[in-house]
């Protein structure tokens, strides 16, 4: 079996309340393997709300079940002071599967009171 290195995982976070990219938002990526949750990486979004490099790519890419955890509360407290505590959203957790070596893009559209995500391109 040959290694397929075409797979990659990216994300993009947009602050829909302020109408701009969510810069400086911390996030972590985990993989589920034999019932265990494995820490893959932690990073922070850049000025464009993206990560400087793919979250997974090349030989590190593996099909399977994953979880992205976005530190929405820390970001919202910093960018929108005065929100009532406890915040409605603190951590945004997105669990998803990747079945094949392809480009998986998981954007997060965030506001203090809701979020949405989808498989983007």
């Amino acid at each position: 079996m040959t290694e397929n290195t075409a797979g990659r995982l990216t994300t993009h976070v947009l602050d829909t309340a302020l109408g701009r990219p969510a810069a400086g938002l911390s996030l972590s990526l985990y993989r589920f393997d034999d019932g265990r949750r494995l820490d893959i990486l932690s990073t922070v979004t850049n000025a464009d709300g993206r990560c400087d490099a793919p979250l997974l790519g090349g030989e590190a890419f593996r099909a399977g079940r994953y979880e992205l955890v976005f530190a929405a509360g820390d970001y919202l407290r910093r960018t929108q002071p005065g929100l009532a505590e406890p915040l409605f959203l603190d951590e945004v957790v997105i669990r998803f599967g990747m079945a094949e070596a392809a480009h998986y893009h998981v954007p997060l559209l965030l506001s203090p009171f809701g979020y949405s995500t989808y498989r983007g391109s």
Side-chain angles (χ1 to χ4, degrees):
M1 183 164 105
T2 61
E3 178 96 20
N4 185 339
T5 58
R8 66 185 168 123
L9 172 64
T10 58
T11 190
H12 188 195
V13 186
L14 298 172
D15 183 328
T16 58
L18 298 178
R20 64 184 188 206
L25 190 146
S26 298
L27 62 104
S28 296
L29 176 66
Y30 302 90
R31 181 177 63 240
F32 291 93
D33 194 7
D34 293 328
R36 294 176 295 144
R37 183 178 180 236
L38 305 174
D39 186 0
I40 304 298
L41 67 83
S42 293
T43 190
V44 178
T45 58
N46 61 25
D48 193 34
R50 300 176 187 273
C51 298
D52 289 332
L55 302 175
L56 283 176
E59 293 186 20
F61 183 91
R62 287 182 30 194
R65 296 183 46 77
Y66 289 83
E67 179 178 271
L68 274 169
V69 179
F70 296 88
D74 293 342
Y75 168 82
L76 292 168
R77 284 182 191 92
R78 188 177 71 253
T79 60
Q80 298 179 49
L83 292 172
E85 291 285 348
L87 295 180
F88 181 68
L89 294 175
D90 190 13
E91 288 187 333
V92 173
V93 178
I94 302 171
R95 288 188 177 175
F96 58 98
M98 298 188 297
E100 60 187 337
H103 181 196
Y104 289 83
H105 183 66
V106 181
L108 178 67
L109 306 176
L110 176 66
S111 82
F113 305 105
Y115 69 90
S116 73
T117 190
Y118 55 93
R119 182 177 172 188
S121 57

